[in-house]
Amino acid sequence: METDLSAKAEAKKNEGNVEFKKGNYRDAIQHYSEAIDIEPSAPILSNRAASYIALKEYTKAIDDAKRAIHMDEKFAKA
């Protein structure tokens, strides 16, 4: 079951990545948020933070970056 959740979270993250690359940051945030709801991870939080930065929503970006660092102190992208 856990692997199934990981796969679903990864799929949502990938959908977010596609939207991010298109410049559709709000859509990317939606996909990343869905992935976080399924299975939070530092990389997904970091991706959502990058989307918030692109939208100049810096407080939300900082919150996600801090959460990512808390989850994985060695995750350099956060």
Side-chain angles (χ1 to χ4, degrees):
M1 191 72 166
E2 196 170 314
T3 304
D4 188 40
L5 288 178
S6 295
K8 287 180 182 179
E10 186 69 21
K12 287 292 179 184
K13 181 186 89 163
N14 290 338
E15 290 173 23
N17 291 346
V18 168
E19 295 303 325
F20 184 90
K21 288 176 186 170
K22 291 179 185 177
N24 299 330
Y25 304 116
R26 294 242 177 255
D27 291 338
I29 289 167
Q30 180 62 39
H31 291 295
Y32 294 141
S33 295
E34 290 172 10
I36 290 164
D37 288 343
I38 295 167
E39 187 174 53
S41 72
I44 300 170
L45 285 161
S46 177
N47 288 0
R48 189 170 72 176
S51 297
Y52 283 132
I53 289 169
L55 294 172
K56 299 182 181 179
E57 294 183 22
Y58 302 117
T59 301
K60 290 179 181 180
I62 291 168
D63 290 344
D64 275 356
K66 286 180 180 178
R67 189 171 166 203
I69 291 167
H70 181 72
M71 290 182 79
D72 184 355
E73 293 178 2
K74 295 181 182 179
F75 187 70
K77 283 180 71 175

